[in-house]
Amino acid sequence: MPFSQFVLKVHSRCDLACDHCYVYEHADTSWRGRPRAITGVVLDRVAERIAEHATEHRLPAVHVVLHGGEPLLAGPRVLRRAAERLRAALPAGCALDLRIHTNGVRLDRAFCELFDELDIKVGISLDGDAAANDRHRRFADGRSSHAQVLAAVELLRRPEFRHLYAGLLCTIDVENDPVAVYEALRALEPPRIDFLLPHATWDQPPKRPAELGEHPYAKWLLTIHRRWEQQGRPVPVRTFDSVYRTLRGRASLTEALGLDPADLVVIETDGTFEQADSLKTAYDGAPATGFDVFANSLDEVARHPGMMARQSGLAGLTATCRACPVVRSCGGGLYAHRWRTGAGFDNPSVFCGDLMRLITTIRDRIAPARPAACAVPDPVSPDPGAPAAGPGPEQLAQLARGHGDAATVAALAAGQLDLTRRLLAAVGPAVGESWQALAELDATAPAAVDAVLAHPYVRGWAVGRLRAEAGEPQAEPDTLAEIAAAALIRARLAAELPVPVRGGAIQLPTLGRVLVGGSGQAVVRSGADGFTVRTAGGVERVIGFDQPADRSWLPVRRLGLLGGWSVALEDTDPQRDRHRWPAEARLTEAELGDWTGALREAWELLLRELPQYAAGIGAGLTTLTPLRPGPAGRELGGADRQAFGAVAIARPRTAPALARLLVHGFQLVKLGGVLDFHDLYDRADRRGYRAPWQEEPRPLADLFQEAYAELAVTEFWGSRARAYHGVGGEAAEHARAQFGRRRGETEQALDALLGSGSLTALGERFAVGLRESLEPCLAMPLGAPAVPADRSVGDGAAAPADRAVPADHHAPADSPAPADHSAPAGR
């Protein structure tokens, strides 16, 4: 498994003398021989090694934490070089998530301004109020560090630096008052709190004061958990969120819980590769690998026995753990906490009893249950055991203006993946064998499972199954076997699964379609180099990853575009036919070439003229589903409410028209992602509202969704009008006419929204934000006199086209569903 997380030590000393520090106060003493600060030569080689690894494994992102010791001791020059070299070295299409973890005592405005410039998020170590923090986190002369750390946090809370604030990390001391600690941290409004068990082993067990009874660490955390739940979970807490996720078969958010393979490596100031820092608590030299950035690649490090042991999941645990009923949530605890002289790491965690008490109590408190078969789960009121998902407040502010950068759309996508998993958990157990296979695979290869579950049409299938269970007349096949098989192939594991044969083929979501003929069942056998499909009738198809496709293998074809955007042209998956208009059949090579050329032109136009929308499209539009052409001159495009990440379009005549359809469709996708977790309007309002582009009154939901999409279309026409500034001719006047009409219609729609009296507080912020984004368009002069808008004229001169871009995303949430699949389910 490749590494995607890197802890880069930029300084090996510290200005505090915390007595619970695993670097200086535990068994490992290697820090004594390290250079104090990392050199430019080492930094350059580190950047090269990470970039080499990202390129080899086609990583979409890498996460780097600048660490120590105390990383601020390295100074601004070293930190700047680290950020600039890492960012410059990474291949196109690989994002850098760069953070720094500090004790905060040296954090000042100059550092914050530097981190703002370099996009470095800041995490702070703080153990609670002054009494709790000063129990361990003091200077060497005994002075308190609390006031200086609070000053650092207050600096991060200022509006100009708030976006840098990554969260607070607190090491648990059971002699501190848990509620006082939690409330002190919560008062600082962190984006996240992370409570860490103190590092300990069976040789050096954690303190357990007799007066606190059994399982004091569980009791301490559970006291906070109850308070946190009573307050409505005001801040994400990584430990609790990880327990919730793992109880539902999801990936953990921390290496200390769950069975997810570790994908983290540490790089010391001298360039040596080490395993997780927590191993320093086991024995002297425990984290060492013997490798360094000058002589060894990260692939070599990944093959180190210690690294492989931390990636072995259930198989790497002791028999006691494998037989435990909460093993998939506990995961055996942190690897370092299993150490015992003579038995190595083949033991349960030294916190075993505490972890069992913590997990089972939380499980019983939230009483997770499968949603009733009579209804689809309501995404706005998610399972009470599930952590909050989707974008945070600052990202919602971006979306409220109609825009949204790559990180914001990625947060939307993460929330959607979480929702898809919950929907599958509602239907999967009833399916049987396929569900078990997928659950087991999720424990060993969660990234492969996530890649398939993120496919836009998986959620649509799950919703259809729930509707079928509720008695609605919808025939949904058992697609779960195909989902599991696709994930198995992606994981490149040597195993096999039975899959159904439908219409003479087997379908592998995100991968493609294998033509085998007949019906019944086939067996998919996966391996490192490809996969084999064998039917009951003896037909066998062998598909190699590096071999050209033959007539029996119809792979999903992906287009790599400028700026690293990669989008799938989905013309194989039967589930794609969920839009108002029929999906196109398999594209011929000539049709594929036409789509490729048009999409490249459209994308370059969006990058150039609508960058505020292009960033989100590049991060979240993963699938483009070709539709069959509509009536002559009519543009068809839209987004299905249950298919986040997909837009369906009948290829128009011009690239600008395609650009407009893309941005319109993805606006609907984005707003749908928001509506899955937030109410923007009163769904009890059943009045009809006049929309400028529709003759009949429509529900408020329709008005909101179309206004959100029309803002982007207005800005599109504004960019076209600017391009024709000072130019005459039919195309120029048409652009100005379309811009003038669209901005007027969008203004009317937003005024109707704001005057409805049915918007929630968040919905009103959205409508106001959209109005503010429209203001520059309203202030923009049209230039040459505009001709009346002609709905028979398209983006180019005299191109026949409908003005309307019918969006099947628009079926009202509270009205009866139409016959197609365009209405939201369970809303």
Side-chain angles (χ1 to χ4, degrees):
M1 178 176 176
F3 297 112
S4 65
Q5 300 185 68
F6 304 88
V7 173
L8 177 58
K9 301 298 189 75
V10 294
H11 205 280
S12 65
R13 302 298 189 271
C14 190
D15 44 6
L16 291 183
C18 306
D19 59 18
H20 57 13
C21 179
Y22 57 80
V23 175
Y24 309 110
E25 302 294 334
H26 283 262
D28 188 74
T29 59
S30 60
W31 63 273
R32 299 179 185 278
R34 307 274 189 217
R36 286 181 176 267
I38 196 168
T39 66
V41 173
V42 173
L43 272 178
D44 291 348
R45 192 58 176 152
V46 167
E48 291 171 7
R49 285 299 189 193
I50 293 176
E52 172 187 84
H53 196 63
T55 301
E56 175 67 22
H57 295 280
R58 300 179 182 178
L59 298 179
V62 296
H63 311 271
V64 179
V65 179
L66 305 177
H67 212 281
E70 171 46 50
L72 296 185
L73 289 172
R77 184 182 62 82
V78 170
L79 298 177
R80 175 182 291 279
R81 180 162 185 171
E84 292 177 344
R85 288 297 298 125
L86 287 165
R87 194 162 274 119
L90 286 175
C94 181
L96 174 64
D97 174 24
L98 187 57
R99 298 169 184 255
I100 190 166
H101 196 88
T102 170
N103 59 35
V105 298
R106 292 175 178 266
L107 187 69
D108 58 15
R109 172 170 285 276
F111 271 124
C112 286
E113 289 173 347
L114 176 70
F115 298 154
D116 185 27
E117 176 191 348
L118 299 174
D119 191 21
I120 301 176
K121 303 297 189 294
V122 184
I124 301 280
S125 292
L126 181 64
D127 286 352
D129 57 11
N133 193 71
D134 289 348
R135 190 185 290 274
H136 301 286
R137 295 187 181 276
R138 290 180 174 271
F139 289 96
D141 60 5
R143 286 180 297 124
S144 167
S145 66
H146 187 255
Q148 288 166 267
V149 181
L150 281 192
V153 175
E154 289 303 325
L155 192 58
L156 288 174
R157 293 175 65 192
R158 294 182 182 180
E160 66 263 43
F161 301 130
R162 176 75 194 188
H163 62 287
L164 302 177
Y165 191 9
L168 300 176
L169 183 150
C170 170
T171 301
I172 297 169
D173 187 321
V174 291
E175 292 184 306
N176 288 329
D177 181 341
V179 172
V181 168
Y182 164 69
E183 292 295 356
L185 299 179
R186 187 178 71 88
L188 299 176
E189 299 179 317
R192 180 181 295 278
I193 298 174
D194 198 1
F195 292 111
L196 298 184
L197 292 168
H199 287 314
T201 67
W202 289 100
D203 292 352
Q204 298 290 328
K207 67 178 179 182
R208 299 184 184 277
E211 65 272 16
L212 298 180
E214 286 190 318
H215 316 310
Y217 294 91
K219 292 178 182 176
W220 197 91
L221 283 167
L222 288 168
T223 301
I224 293 176
H225 178 262
R226 185 173 293 282
R227 179 79 160 221
W228 180 71
E229 283 282 4
Q230 290 169 346
Q231 294 173 341
R233 305 180 192 172
V235 58
V237 176
R238 192 187 304 268
T239 301
F240 302 152
D241 288 349
S242 293
V243 172
Y244 290 155
R245 290 167 65 93
T246 54
L247 283 172
R248 283 163 176 76
R250 291 291 317 278
S252 175
L253 300 173
T254 169
E255 189 179 347
L257 290 166
L259 291 169
D260 310 283
D263 64 348
L264 176 146
V265 65
V266 177
I267 307 172
E268 292 285 354
T269 54
D270 58 0
T272 56
F273 289 115
E274 289 203 339
Q275 301 176 65
D277 261 5
S278 56
L279 287 170
K280 294 179 184 294
T281 199
Y283 59 90
D284 200 5
T289 65
F291 298 135
D292 64 63
V293 295
F294 299 101
N296 306 100
S297 70
L298 281 158
D299 280 352
E300 290 179 86
V301 180
R303 293 192 290 270
H304 183 275
M307 292 292 188
M308 295 177 70
R310 291 171 51 235
Q311 295 186 342
S312 56
L314 190 65
L317 299 180
T318 183
T320 301
C321 290
R322 292 199 300 272
C324 178
V326 299
V327 64
R328 295 190 180 279
S329 189
C330 168
L334 195 67
Y335 189 72
H337 296 172
R338 306 173 201 169
W339 173 259
R340 187 199 299 266
T341 300
F345 296 99
D346 189 27
N347 308 283
S349 168
V350 71
F351 292 100
C352 177
D354 292 278
L355 292 172
M356 171 71 85
R357 174 84 173 266
L358 175 70
I359 293 166
T360 55
T361 303
I362 290 178
R363 180 197 64 196
D364 294 342
R365 282 179 181 177
I366 64 177
R370 183 176 180 276
C374 61
V376 176
D378 182 355
V380 176
S381 304
D383 183 339
E394 293 176 8
Q395 293 169 325
L396 279 173
Q398 289 185 38
L399 293 165
R401 295 187 65 90
H403 305 147
D405 60 18
T408 296
V409 174
L412 272 178
Q416 290 294 309
L417 178 60
D418 181 76
L419 178 56
T420 297
R421 281 180 164 272
R422 287 156 56 196
L423 287 167
L424 282 182
V427 300
V431 174
E433 182 181 351
S434 302
W435 171 252
Q436 182 62 31
L438 188 64
E440 292 176 359
L441 186 60
D442 196 32
T444 56
V449 174
D450 278 350
V452 180
L453 298 191
H455 181 46
Y457 298 113
V458 168
R459 170 176 159 182
W461 169 80
V463 169
R465 290 287 296 194
L466 284 172
R467 284 175 168 171
E469 289 183 13
E472 295 187 27
Q474 291 180 289
E476 289 292 339
D478 174 12
T479 299
L480 199 61
E482 298 161 347
I483 294 170
L488 179 65
I489 292 168
R490 282 183 168 276
R492 301 197 177 198
L493 298 175
E496 62 180 37
L497 281 174
V499 294
V501 178
R502 300 189 184 96
I506 68 162
Q507 184 63 37
L508 299 167
T510 73
L511 297 176
R513 192 169 178 82
V514 185
L515 305 180
V516 295
S519 59
Q521 197 174 69
V523 173
V524 171
R525 178 182 291 276
S526 174
D529 301 319
F531 64 98
T532 301
V533 178
R534 187 179 66 256
T535 70
V539 175
E540 185 171 284
R541 300 282 187 265
V542 179
I543 292 96
F545 293 129
D546 300 321
Q547 296 174 357
D550 59 23
R551 292 183 179 179
S552 66
W553 169 228
L554 306 178
V556 173
R557 293 171 290 197
R558 301 194 67 86
L559 304 182
L561 302 172
L562 189 67
W565 182 35
S566 175
V567 63
L569 277 178
E570 180 56 84
D571 58 3
T572 69
D573 193 337
Q575 296 291 332
R576 77 191 187 281
D577 212 359
R578 292 179 173 270
H579 300 272
R580 179 169 299 175
W581 307 280
E584 183 63 279
R586 176 72 170 180
L587 300 178
T588 65
E589 290 301 318
E591 291 168 335
L592 177 64
D594 290 341
W595 265 106
T596 301
L599 194 57
R600 284 176 177 163
E601 288 185 49
W603 178 237
E604 290 173 13
L605 186 153
L606 290 175
L607 286 173
R608 183 174 64 252
E609 299 191 18
L610 290 179
Q612 69 273 38
Y613 292 101
I617 291 173
L621 182 52
T622 62
T623 303
L624 181 58
T625 298
L627 298 174
R628 293 179 189 170
R634 188 182 186 197
E635 294 174 355
L636 301 182
D640 183 75
R641 184 66 178 80
Q642 304 297 346
F644 182 90
V647 168
I649 294 174
R651 186 171 63 84
R653 191 180 65 84
T654 67
L658 179 56
R660 176 164 50 81
L661 290 166
L662 285 169
V663 74
H664 180 280
F666 196 66
Q667 286 297 97
L668 301 174
V669 169
K670 286 194 305 188
L671 191 65
V674 173
L675 288 169
D676 279 335
F677 294 96
H678 301 279
D679 276 325
L680 301 185
Y681 51 84
D682 181 0
R683 286 182 283 165
D685 183 349
R686 298 182 179 276
R687 292 174 292 172
Y689 290 84
R690 292 279 180 184
W693 43 79
Q694 290 172 328
E695 295 181 0
E696 297 296 325
R698 301 295 297 160
L700 187 62
D702 281 16
L703 183 66
F704 211 136
Q705 291 171 343
E706 189 65 24
Y708 195 80
E710 282 296 307
L711 172 66
V713 175
T714 299
E715 293 194 61
F716 170 87
W717 282 113
S719 74
R720 304 300 291 162
R722 282 191 297 271
Y724 285 117
H725 181 69
V727 177
E730 186 177 3
E733 294 195 354
H734 172 66
R736 286 190 282 269
Q738 287 286 342
F739 174 55
R741 182 165 61 84
R742 295 302 181 92
R743 71 182 184 180
E745 291 178 343
T746 305
E747 182 181 27
Q748 291 177 49
L750 291 175
D751 288 346
L753 276 177
L754 287 165
S756 69
S758 290
L759 300 184
T760 64
L762 181 59
E764 187 162 344
R765 291 206 300 273
F766 262 68
V768 169
L770 297 177
R771 190 70 166 72
E772 291 173 353
S773 291
L774 184 65
E775 287 298 332
C777 294
L778 296 174
M780 177 179 160
L782 290 177
V787 298
D790 181 354
R791 298 188 181 221
S792 68
V793 180
D795 297 303
D802 257 316
R803 172 263 169 199
V805 186
D808 56 334
H809 202 91
H810 288 180
D814 298 305
S815 63
D820 66 8
H821 296 268
S822 58
R827 303 279 308 130

